[in-house]
Amino acid sequence: MECVFGLVGNGFAIVAADTSAVHSILVHKSNEDKIMVLDSHKLIAASGESGDRVQFTEYIQKNVALYQFRNGIPLTTAAAANFTRGELATALRKNPYFVNILLAGYDKETGPSLYYIDYIATLHKVDKGAFGYGSYFSLSMMDRHYHSGMTVEEAIDLVDKCIMEIRSRLVVAPPNFVIKIVDKDGAREYAWRESVKDAAVASA
Amino acid sequence: MSIFEYNGSALVAMVGKNCFAIASDRRLGVQLQTIATDFQRIFKIHDRLFLGLSGLATDAQTLYQRLVFRHKLYQLREERDIKPETFANLVSALLYEKRFGPYFCQPVIAGLGVEDKPFICTMDSIGAKELAKDFVVAGTASESLYGACESMFKENMEPEELFETVSQALLSSVDRDCLSGWGGHVYVVTPTEVKERILKGRMD
């Protein structure tokens, strides 16, 4: 089952997501990146129905870019989160998107922030959040070890603890995870945690 | 599980002597899992009018946004703040508009009307108003709240005594409900000031 979790540290926000693309009992691939870079200082980690996940996050990404083109300045993280919630809420009673989102961002004025947006468009600003079956383990680990103002090293340590817990205690645990970070220098990939590597594709 | 019990909530409003108190719990949950312990359920419409929204969190957020929009338009047209009785009618009308596809919310409205007379009311999810002279309750803990308020309520309480009564009623009721709790948020409103206080109860 898809695991996504994230937390806010001292001047940065970190999100981690599993990287398996699953259909019923078959694992299509185990290096699917579910954390999209929304713009220079925002990350959107999404879990849920795979078609909806890709389509919806791309739609949000393009609209965030459009705002920047039209107005010359980027959206704040709070504005992007509220826009995302609005789109989910509008679609909810017509053609709902089954996508759960953790939106992490860094604003110069307000610092790092993390927004929990579930598939029925409930929006809440949080310090730590998680979705999926993995949330039962990662949220508990974060409740125990999280404190405000963690350094990157402490946060990565906590993320690794959560991944270890998910791997050992979840019955259909995803083998690989991707970790991305956003801070004043922008949004970027931090690391992969792989325990199963896809076989290299044979060259033609 | 009913859709009204998906997120969990507890709301109470009580009338005092030329003042009123409105209080809520702080838990945001997704069925059995707790997501946040600082969720805001009571919103200020203007200095003398407060709205609490229990039930499904996403609909509470959508409804709040629509109501703030309508009130801002009202302020532009009428050049004054809306009266509590009028606002209650507005909420009731908005809810009944969606009679066959309702918002899964139960609002609690509390305000100071003409000559600082306190006004409280609640309504069901399709806008059936319920005016009361003493107290109104809503949320998953409503049955416990009815009992607690009925036994603790006295007429013409001063703001400090009203605060104590509302707090005790709220905390004792949410302690018997697993879906609400994690502290309390109490607003005591008099003609001259608004006092906002956070309660620390059983954090479970």
Side-chain angles (χ1 to χ4, degrees):
Chain A
M1 237 262 94
E2 303 201 356
C3 308
V4 172
F5 60 94
L7 58 109
V8 172
N10 188 14
F12 67 93
I14 239 175
V15 277
D18 77 290
T19 59
S20 35
V22 170
H23 269 96
S24 171
I25 57 165
L26 175 70
V27 178
H28 278 300
K29 60 192 294 223
S30 32
N31 58 357
E32 166 86 0
D33 189 353
K34 295 177 190 170
I35 307 181
M36 176 177 276
V37 173
L38 206 60
D39 74 8
S40 63
H41 286 76
K42 288 182 202 42
L43 289 170
I44 198 164
S47 77
E49 187 88 48
S50 16
D52 282 349
R53 172 171 51 81
V54 173
Q55 299 289 41
F56 183 73
T57 53
E58 270 183 20
Y59 173 70
I60 298 296
Q61 187 190 54
K62 301 318 172 202
N63 273 281
V64 166
L66 182 62
Y67 181 95
Q68 182 158 1
F69 286 136
R70 279 189 177 142
N71 299 289
I73 53 163
L75 277 170
T76 59
T77 313
N82 274 291
F83 171 69
T84 308
R85 184 209 109 80
E87 291 302 308
L88 283 168
T90 313
L92 180 63
R93 282 172 156 89
K94 296 188 181 112
N95 192 8
Y97 294 107
F98 290 100
V99 196
N100 297 310
I101 283 165
L102 277 177
L103 202 154
Y106 183 89
D107 304 304
K108 252 199 351 232
E109 301 82 15
T110 49
S113 48
L114 182 66
Y115 287 89
Y116 170 103
I117 309 168
D118 82 1
Y119 75 101
I120 47 172
T122 309
L123 170 71
H124 195 57
K125 185 171 184 297
V126 292
D127 283 334
K128 49 184 173 352
F131 283 110
Y133 285 125
S135 69
Y136 292 115
F137 309 105
S138 48
L139 273 179
S140 301
M141 286 309 275
M142 289 194 283
D143 282 340
R144 171 66 182 87
H145 295 292
Y146 176 88
H147 55 87
S148 60
M150 289 173 90
T151 63
V152 181
E153 292 73 30
E154 287 174 322
I156 290 294
D157 196 49
L158 179 51
V159 166
D160 281 329
K161 279 198 173 81
C162 293
I163 292 174
M164 192 97 85
E165 201 63 23
I166 292 169
R167 276 193 183 141
S168 55
R169 291 296 186 181
L170 185 57
V171 62
V172 244
N176 301 338
F177 285 81
V178 63
I179 306 172
K180 293 197 182 178
I181 190 171
V182 59
D183 61 14
K184 63 171 173 30
D185 300 322
R188 60 194 180 279
E189 194 177 282
Y190 183 88
W192 282 73
R193 298 282 186 253
E194 288 173 310
S195 61
V196 163
K197 256 198 151 67
D198 269 347
V201 178
S203 52
Chain B
M1 204 191 233
S2 150
I3 189 77
F4 289 98
E5 294 162 9
Y6 187 75
N7 293 124
S9 53
L11 270 176
V12 57
M14 241 187 223
V15 164
K17 189 167 179 190
N18 289 332
C19 64
F20 68 86
I22 182 166
S24 77
D25 73 320
R26 305 189 79 204
R27 178 181 179 269
L28 172 70
V30 171
Q31 295 188 308
L32 60 94
Q33 191 179 49
T34 300
I35 300 299
T37 57
D38 57 357
F39 191 66
Q40 176 103 340
R41 272 195 183 89
I42 299 175
F43 305 101
K44 185 174 97 160
I45 302 295
H46 61 75
D47 279 326
R48 295 153 62 94
L49 179 58
F50 283 75
L51 167 73
L53 286 164
S54 70
L56 196 61
T58 176
D59 282 349
Q61 288 175 333
T62 303
L63 200 55
Y64 165 66
Q65 286 175 347
R66 286 191 69 192
L67 285 164
V68 159
F69 171 69
R70 295 293 296 263
H71 179 241
K72 284 185 175 170
L73 271 181
Y74 184 94
Q75 277 178 322
L76 285 173
R77 288 189 184 123
E78 299 268 330
E79 293 180 0
R80 63 179 177 86
D81 288 330
I82 195 169
K83 284 203 205 108
E85 296 84 355
T86 319
F87 185 71
N89 273 328
L90 172 62
V91 178
S92 175
L94 269 186
L95 290 172
Y96 197 78
E97 250 177 14
K98 304 278 184 203
R99 170 63 178 84
F100 299 108
Y103 290 116
F104 298 108
C105 286
Q106 220 187 332
V108 162
I109 294 154
L112 288 173
V114 282
E115 286 161 19
D116 300 334
K117 188 167 182 301
F119 169 88
I120 53 168
C121 89
T122 184
M123 53 193 82
D124 68 3
S125 58
I126 48 174
K129 257 191 299 181
E130 197 189 293
L131 302 172
K133 293 202 176 73
D134 40 16
F135 58 85
V136 289
V137 302
T140 48
S142 58
E143 277 145 6
S144 300
L145 277 166
Y146 272 124
C149 290
E150 196 68 70
S151 53
M152 295 186 202
F153 180 78
K154 283 198 324 260
E155 293 229 339
N156 288 324
M157 280 187 279
E158 294 293 332
E160 283 311 313
E161 197 191 349
L162 183 65
F163 165 70
E164 285 300 329
T165 309
V166 148
S167 307
Q168 292 295 345
L170 180 73
L171 288 179
S172 59
S173 307
V174 301
D175 284 349
R176 281 291 184 182
D177 177 24
C178 54
L179 295 174
S180 55
W182 281 97
H185 215 132
V186 187
Y187 292 83
V188 179
V189 181
T190 59
T192 47
E193 64 164 356
V194 171
K195 252 208 167 111
E196 179 187 340
R197 279 176 271 225
I198 308 269
L199 304 172
K200 186 163 179 174
R202 273 186 67 114
M203 303 309 247
D204 64 1

